Amino acid sequence: MTTALDATSVSIEPFGIGRKIRRRLEEIGIRGVAVTAGVFVVLSLTFVAMDGLKLYWQRFLDGLANGFIYAAVALALVLIYKATGIINFAQGSMAMFFTFIAWVLSRQQSWPVWLAILTAMLLSSVFASGFERVFIRPFDPANHLPITIVTIALLSLIDGTAIYVWFADPKAFPSPFPSKPRQDYVDIFGARVFYATLGIWITVILMTIGVTLLLNRTKIGLAFRAVSSNLESSRLVGVNVGRTLQFGWALAAAIGTLAGCLVLSDSRTYLEPSFMAKSLVFAFAAATIGGLDSLVGAVVGGLLVGQMQTMIGGYVHFIGSDLVLATTLAIIIIVLLVRPSGLFGKVRVERV
Amino acid sequence: MSLLEIGGLTASYGPVQVLHGIDLHVEEGEVAVVLGANGAGKTTTIRSICQMVSTKGSITFQGQSLTGKSTSEIARMGVAHVPQGRGTFADLTVVENLEVGAFRRKEKNFSSDYDFWFGIFPRLAERRAQLAGSLSGGEQQMLAVARAMMSKPTLLLLDEPSLGLAPIIVQDLFQRLRTIKDEQGVTMLVVEQNASLAFSIANRAYVLEAGAIALSGSADELKNDDAVRKAYLGY
Ligand SMILES: Nc1ncnc2c1ncn2[C@@H]1O[C@H](COP(=O)(O)OP(=O)(O)O)[C@@H](O)[C@H]1O
Ligand SMILES: [Mg+2]
């Protein structure tokens, strides 16, 4: 009897470790990730077979730049969603408005472009903090509909104001990266990557690292994660929920503004009041596919959507560039049918 | 002056009043229990102290009125609350749950506190880097108690710590609560349906029935009260 028991416990032990690792991986949705990676590899090989490695590589790197921008905007959306459970529909408009501010400072006031961008980010944080205090905090955070409607109202207010002040004609935004055409690029294994593109990668990567450190290494970051996880318990340990959410709004606003300026650092896009619309839709898609409550998911989703966009546009000729967005969304809907909470999103299981 | 004094407390959810004038006090250093059947208003009483429901009447803690204060202000004053259902931060690790428990404290480094509570609850030590949502019910209850104690509270409120746990785990938990009572000198208000458990750590006891105090007295008095024995102890 004793020996039998011992035998079981011995054979269970390595099994137990395996199960622990597996559970951990399931927590981050490893099945969905593995399937996605598999599909990605198979499609990539197909594309390489179609038009050769060189063209594929170039398109891959192009898609990465778009992807990083979607990742940044998605990160802003997910920060707010995680903490408050609402989608901030005004995220894109706020980014647009403060990108205009950066343009005013750099073009009309002749500030150095990075100083203008950082100032605009700071101003957007101040604005978002004030907005949260006056228009969001009075509502019960557990009641999502009124707050969502407030963000839609903000969206229309900002869009209207921007058109009123700056009109709808496109303006050139000074690139924050060296960008003389046909000259300022690096060669990465035979593909051309312009400094502007490289700059977008680096900026978003640094920003993501910064946000991660802020959330994981500071007291306000811990408070933010606590509020995102359990609102009521956060109050019970003495977290000031209002001020913590205000921090989330400020952070998301700054990220959005930076993303807006990055969109324009690609010299083909001009500043006008609707310039964020496309990025915003792709970022929504990215956040959804990654899992609306996952910051990692936002980044991965952004990169993935960037790839979908370039690859569909480049290889699936019968779809054509006008239908790229619709096709991307269709793919995302299929993914969500299989995995409703997104690739990294939490499948909520309540334990009693 | 008692550490916690409640007088004429009424509480309502919307139009429905569920507490009808409760008087209750807890002296410094003692453990008071509130007994009552399901739906008697135990949770509402404990939530009233933290101003999580709308109340009328007086609630004073260390001579200061708590009515009208926000829940998080009350927590920062030194009232720790382990809610019914444990209130685990499921997306944070065990250690992060402890860290967030210490939120009201000014220090930066809590490693000696972690070691202390991992000493009291060794199960948690093995799971320190695990997400709290993946713990068993008993482990989450231990974590909730340790999290509350991380704030170095003056008053610890526990809402039915035994709920949903296997009897052997409950015994173990209450043993540790007794240790905490003896060694930390923290004042506790414990709400329980399980009367024999509650009496095992209590100095003072209240019996709540339909939103009003039906009986009150020292734990020893109530333990031997015929009505209490019939209704709550079953002999
Ligand atoms: N959120 C709520 N809304 C309305 N009624 C509630 C709510 N919570 C509790 N009640 C009612 O208040 C009474 C007391 O509940 P509660 O304090 O949870 O009792 P106990 O903790 O003793 O089981 C019950 O009749 C319950 O139905
Ligand atoms: Mg209860």
Side-chain angles (χ1 to χ4, degrees), chain B residues 103-163:
Chain B
F103 198 79
R104 82 181 187 104
R105 291 167 58 185
K106 297 279 174 283
E107 304 100 288
K108 288 250 157 17
N109 189 341
F110 301 108
S111 43
S112 60
D113 297 77
Y114 300 153
D115 291 343
F116 180 82
W117 291 107
F118 286 147
I120 304 256
F121 299 114
R123 302 272 299 203
L124 297 180
E126 297 161 29
R127 289 161 175 68
R128 57 186 300 154
Q130 219 168 299
L131 291 186
S134 69
L135 301 184
S136 72
E139 289 159 354
Q140 290 198 20
Q141 189 68 64
M142 293 172 196
L143 180 60
V145 171
R147 179 188 74 220
M149 288 303 297
M150 281 294 293
S151 70
K152 300 218 159 139
T154 312
L155 175 65
L156 176 63
L157 308 174
L158 293 165
D159 193 347
E160 285 204 58
S162 72
L163 195 70

Side-chain angles (χ1 to χ4, degrees), chain B residues 38-39 41-44 84 159-160 163 191 193:
Chain B
N38 232 338
K42 302 182 299 296
T43 297
T44 308
Q84 185 172 323
D159 193 347
E160 285 204 58
L163 195 70
V191 148
Q193 276 190 64

Side-chain angles (χ1 to χ4, degrees), chain A residues 20 23-24 27 82 216 218-220 222-223 225-241 243-244 346 348-349 351-352, chain B residues 47 50 52 71-72 75-76 79 81 83 86-92 96 99-105 129-131 133-137 140 147:
Chain A
K20 224 183 253 171
R23 196 210 274 151
R24 185 81 203 183
E27 269 166 20
K82 249 180 101 67
N216 289 302
T218 66
K219 194 164 181 176
I220 183 80
L222 179 68
R225 290 185 299 134
V227 169
S228 309
S229 178
N230 193 327
L231 187 68
E232 192 153 271
S233 291
S234 303
R235 293 201 180 101
L236 289 179
V237 296
V239 171
N240 185 329
V241 170
R243 231 184 286 155
T244 305
K346 193 160 318 98
R348 292 252 169 218
V349 188
R351 260 179 195 266
V352 187
Chain B
R47 287 170 67 92
C50 294
M52 300 163 85
T71 302
S72 76
R76 289 195 294 271
V79 179
H81 181 155
R86 296 145 205 151
T88 308
F89 294 97
D91 311 302
L92 305 188
E96 286 171 339
E99 188 182 359
V100 88
F103 198 79
R104 82 181 187 104
R105 291 167 58 185
Q130 219 168 299
L131 291 186
S134 69
L135 301 184
S136 72
Q140 290 198 20
R147 179 188 74 220

Side-chain angles (χ1 to χ4, degrees), chain A residues 188-208:
Chain A
I188 301 183
F189 299 117
R192 273 185 183 194
V193 178
F194 289 97
Y195 286 165
T197 311
L198 207 56
I200 290 174
W201 300 358
I202 293 170
T203 311
V204 174
I205 289 170
L206 289 179
M207 192 249 343
T208 309

